[in-house]
Amino acid sequence: MKGVPVRIEVGPRDLENGVVTVARRDDLENKTTINVDDLATAIPALLAEIQKNMLEKARAFRDAHIVITQDMNELTNAVNGGCFAKAMWCGDRACEDKVKELTSASTRVMPFDQTPVGTKCVCCGKNLLKEDGSTDGKVIYFAKAY
Ligand SMILES: [Zn+2]
């Protein structure tokens, strides 16, 4: 029964009363009874709500596991703790390779939002701050693959 989002229990007493018992995968504690006549509308609504809840849970989990890191020590601690290390990167392949060699974490994604999270490359420490206040590097996520 793993992976089943909604389990509908139909017992003799339920049928007598024109209802079924519904258990949600994301909330196994609370079972509800639904009138048989309402099933065609109640189940799709329930599935949409479960999808929304699971997505919110996954996003909250992801967001709680992003750590902004400024140097290799912080990056190492973050990825060893199972987190995503969000960092500035100079763009040099040598730094990307060195991070992988030292931590076994690799680059995961370069987000569209390039708002700087620091001024130096997390690996080589090169200053990425330009005179006009912008930065030369890239915001990037490092993490271990599992
Ligand atoms: Zn670098």
Side-chain angles (χ1 to χ4, degrees):
M1 287 205 293
K2 267 192 169 173
V4 174
V6 176
R7 187 180 66 239
I8 300 173
E9 300 168 355
V10 183
R13 200 175 306 141
D14 288 335
L15 283 181
E16 269 174 36
N17 297 324
V19 296
V20 295
T21 302
V22 175
R24 296 169 54 144
R25 177 190 177 190
D26 65 334
D27 181 9
L28 296 172
E29 302 291 310
N30 298 313
K31 292 181 179 180
T32 53
T33 52
I34 295 178
N35 196 306
V36 171
D37 295 335
D38 298 333
L39 276 180
T41 53
I43 296 300
L46 194 59
L47 288 171
E49 192 188 318
I50 289 170
Q51 168 66 22
K52 186 172 160 269
N53 286 350
M54 289 175 73
L55 183 60
E56 281 172 9
K57 227 186 239 180
R59 282 190 173 138
F61 180 87
R62 177 202 62 194
D63 292 346
H65 289 80
I66 294 171
V67 178
I68 292 174
T69 58
Q70 302 297 336
D71 57 35
M72 282 304 292
N73 189 39
E74 290 179 8
L75 186 149
T76 302
N77 287 337
V79 298
N80 283 345
C83 289
F84 292 96
K86 188 176 187 181
M88 295 305 293
W89 171 51
C90 65
D92 191 333
R93 178 69 191 264
C95 284
E96 186 180 7
D97 290 346
K98 190 175 175 190
V99 169
K100 188 165 194 176
E101 184 192 319
L102 295 176
T103 67
S104 78
S106 53
T107 52
R108 293 283 127 193
V109 68
M110 189 176 292
F112 288 121
D113 180 3
Q114 284 290 310
T115 306
V117 294
T119 58
K120 293 176 181 171
C121 174
V122 70
C123 184
C124 67
K126 177 184 168 189
N127 183 24
L128 303 172
L129 193 62
K130 293 197 283 188
E131 282 184 20
D132 66 2
S134 65
T135 50
D136 227 3
K138 297 284 183 199
V139 175
I140 199 157
Y141 289 89
F142 290 93
K144 289 187 181 183
Y146 291 98

